[in-house]
Amino acid sequence: MWLILIFYGCLAVGTEAQSGKITAVSIIKGHNYPVESHYTRTRDDYILQAFRIPNSASCRRPGTKPVVLFLHGMTASADTFLLNGPKDGLPYMLADACYDVWLANFRGTRYSRLHAYLNPNKNEFWRFSFHELGVEDLATFIDYILQLTNEKTVNVVAHSQGCTTFLVLLSMRPEYNEKVKTAILMAPAAFMEHTSTLGQTVFRPYIMVSPDSEFLQHSKLRSHIMPTVCRLGSWSVCNLYLFLNGRPSSHFNTSVYPSLLATHPAGISTRQPRHFIQLTDSGKFRQYDYGRVKNLIVYGQKSPPDYKLYNVQPLSPVHIFYSDDDSSVNATDVRFLGSKLTSVVMNRITKPTWHHLDFIFAITVAQDINKPIIQILDKFSSK
Ligand SMILES: *[C@@H]1O[C@H](CO)[C@@H](O)[C@H](O)[C@H]1NC(C)=O
Ligand SMILES: *[C@@H]1O[C@H](CO)[C@@H](O)[C@H](O)[C@H]1NC(C)=O
């Protein structure tokens, strides 16, 4: 069931360089790190791609390396974590610190648009929300990596919806708890009552009525046009366009915009933001709401069941990073999430205007986020 293909990045980079397209492989190669592409197949037959940085010239410690698996947010992909480059990008810093670094790409993103028999040009392909990303995709990635590396556990580093998939998986399939050593959740999206984003306002009417279908597709044409358009206009206008977020940050590394716009958005299903909007409306962290009649058929009850957060008990405490000024994932909601978890360490960012993407792209991210994360991983992953 697992392995379909493994090929080394150098094979892929030739063709990609010709088309001038920026990809995770070309970015990693460009920084002189080794890279591998891996494909794995879910129980429901999606074929997903993960990237791996198996090594770094700066790692001088021999022996086995603990696995770190990166989980990206909505409209993002593995690319998101890679754009900062080696000095300030956590995947490279962890490879330098002798970790075996893996970057997931959830179904529907530019790297994971294959299915055994469904066509991404048809709506059937897009019948999923973050629920399936957790219960199917994340489980598949974890099992694939553990089998390939012969390790017993992975460490998880997640941002935003990546955290949602983690919470969904461990709630729904608690047997995965013992496969997770540590989990770092940055701006975890779960309770959404106090969230305010463009997705929740401007796009809401469209998202709520459209069928399950592709949304914010990664397009080559747009990837070439948007950087120019944004340069002529204003970068912060493009910030709105990109992540539907809406609030300028004084920390954001603006040098990253051209490559960010060339690689994002990476593609999602309309059901993903619709499920999040449902969470905002209900104030609950619960499964997808199909409407009363279909809920009765699917769940045996009129409203969708809550995710059982008391099931989330990986082998060491969950470490949450959150910010007072993140309007996409509000601090009030994150603290409520923390109160529902059995074992949790809360790391609060109080810097004014520290927003949702600053956990990855702030100028000071190496100092404020990445080094503390590496310390946590060093402490727990060796035990
Ligand atoms: C978080 O929610 C509270 C309560 O609704 C609100 O007062 C606050 O402005 C929100 N924070 C952000 C950064 O949007
Ligand atoms: C800002 O982004 C640029 C371009 O991606 C990168 O080279 C640089 O290292 C980044 N700086 C920081 C502090 O993250």
Side-chain angles (χ1 to χ4, degrees):
M1 172 175 170
W2 304 122
L3 179 112
I4 291 172
L5 263 176
I6 303 179
F7 61 87
Y8 284 80
C10 48
L11 288 179
V13 82
T15 50
E16 278 153 6
Q18 275 158 20
S19 69
K21 214 166 109 183
I22 302 177
T23 66
V25 167
S26 70
I27 298 167
I28 296 169
K29 281 258 148 189
H31 292 301
N32 295 315
Y33 283 73
V35 55
E36 299 170 9
S37 292
H38 291 258
Y39 293 86
T40 179
R41 184 167 170 166
T42 64
R43 296 188 299 191
D44 54 353
D45 298 319
Y46 284 84
I47 293 152
L48 309 176
Q49 191 173 181
F51 300 108
R52 181 190 195 187
I53 307 177
N55 215 329
S56 155
S58 307
C59 164
R60 303 249 156 63
R61 200 174 62 223
T64 58
K65 299 167 191 288
V67 170
V68 178
L69 173 59
F70 280 83
L71 307 176
H72 62 77
M74 192 164 70
T75 70
S77 75
D79 298 342
T80 318
F81 294 109
L82 296 166
L83 297 176
N84 271 345
K87 222 166 52 65
D88 304 284
L90 187 55
Y92 312 92
M93 294 171 75
L94 283 170
D96 292 348
C98 300
Y99 286 86
D100 181 6
V101 174
W102 290 77
L103 301 122
N105 296 286
F106 289 111
R107 63 182 64 184
T109 61
R110 62 186 296 215
Y111 299 114
S112 296
R113 292 169 55 84
L114 279 175
H115 187 280
Y117 50 90
L118 296 179
N119 181 341
N121 296 327
K122 299 267 168 60
N123 285 355
E124 284 86 351
F125 182 95
W126 299 95
R127 301 235 155 94
F128 58 82
S129 78
F130 56 73
H131 180 86
E132 286 75 16
L133 272 48
V135 168
E136 303 300 335
D137 295 4
L138 178 52
T140 303
F141 281 125
I142 290 176
D143 288 331
Y144 174 85
I145 292 168
L146 293 183
Q147 195 189 355
L148 191 99
T149 58
N150 261 327
E151 287 288 298
K152 295 217 158 40
T153 57
V154 301
N155 301 285
V156 167
V157 173
H159 179 243
S160 191
Q161 179 197 249
C163 309
T164 323
T165 69
F166 171 83
L167 297 167
V168 166
L169 175 63
L170 297 197
S171 303
M172 298 294 298
R173 300 174 73 183
E175 65 271 23
Y176 277 83
N177 277 299
E178 63 181 35
K179 300 181 183 187
V180 178
K181 184 59 88 55
T182 66
I184 316 281
L185 307 184
M186 297 181 276
F191 295 99
M192 304 297 287
E193 194 177 347
H194 299 100
T195 203
S196 62
T197 64
L198 273 192
Q200 297 273 359
T201 52
V202 175
F203 290 94
R204 174 188 272 260
Y206 171 76
I207 289 169
M208 293 316 272
V209 300
S210 83
D212 294 332
S213 51
E214 182 162 25
F215 190 46
L216 301 175
Q217 182 187 9
H218 181 72
S219 119
K220 266 184 236 170
L221 183 67
R222 200 172 48 205
S223 301
H224 285 112
I225 290 172
M226 282 314 289
T228 312
V229 172
C230 292
R231 210 169 292 129
L232 295 174
S234 140
W235 287 120
S236 53
V237 168
C238 292
N239 193 6
L240 302 190
Y241 159 80
L242 257 184
F243 290 94
L244 319 180
N245 265 341
R247 213 154 153 268
S249 150
S250 61
H251 307 281
F252 195 92
N253 176 9
T254 50
S255 319
V256 98
Y257 270 124
S259 57
L260 192 60
L261 288 162
T263 51
H264 292 69
I268 58 169
S269 162
T270 47
R271 199 192 283 190
Q272 289 166 257
R274 191 160 55 242
H275 194 170
F276 278 120
I277 289 173
Q278 292 177 355
L279 301 186
T280 303
D281 292 348
S282 69
K284 297 184 176 208
F285 183 43
R286 63 182 189 184
Q287 295 192 48
Y288 187 73
D289 192 344
Y290 293 97
R292 271 163 181 254
V293 176
K294 193 167 172 199
N295 285 346
L296 269 172
I297 299 165
V298 177
Y299 306 120
Q301 56 189 68
K302 278 188 228 144
S303 47
D306 289 353
Y307 288 111
K308 299 183 172 103
L309 285 169
Y310 53 79
N311 279 345
V312 178
Q313 298 192 39
L315 298 174
S316 53
V318 173
H319 290 260
I320 288 180
F321 287 75
Y322 71 105
S323 162
D324 286 349
D325 259 359
D326 182 345
S327 57
S328 300
V329 173
N330 189 294
T332 312
D333 293 331
V334 178
R335 276 192 288 269
F336 187 63
L337 168 67
S339 75
K340 297 278 177 192
L341 295 172
T342 309
S343 179
V344 63
V345 180
M346 304 293 279
N347 300 271
R348 177 180 174 196
I349 310 283
T350 54
K351 288 190 175 180
T353 80
W354 185 284
H355 204 344
H356 200 54
L357 295 178
D358 289 321
F359 294 94
I360 299 172
F361 293 118
I363 292 287
T364 56
V365 74
Q367 208 55 44
D368 289 337
I369 303 290
N370 296 351
K371 283 180 186 163
I373 287 178
I374 294 173
Q375 272 174 12
I376 295 165
L377 291 174
D378 284 347
K379 181 169 164 205
F380 289 102
S381 69
S382 56
K383 276 194 202 141

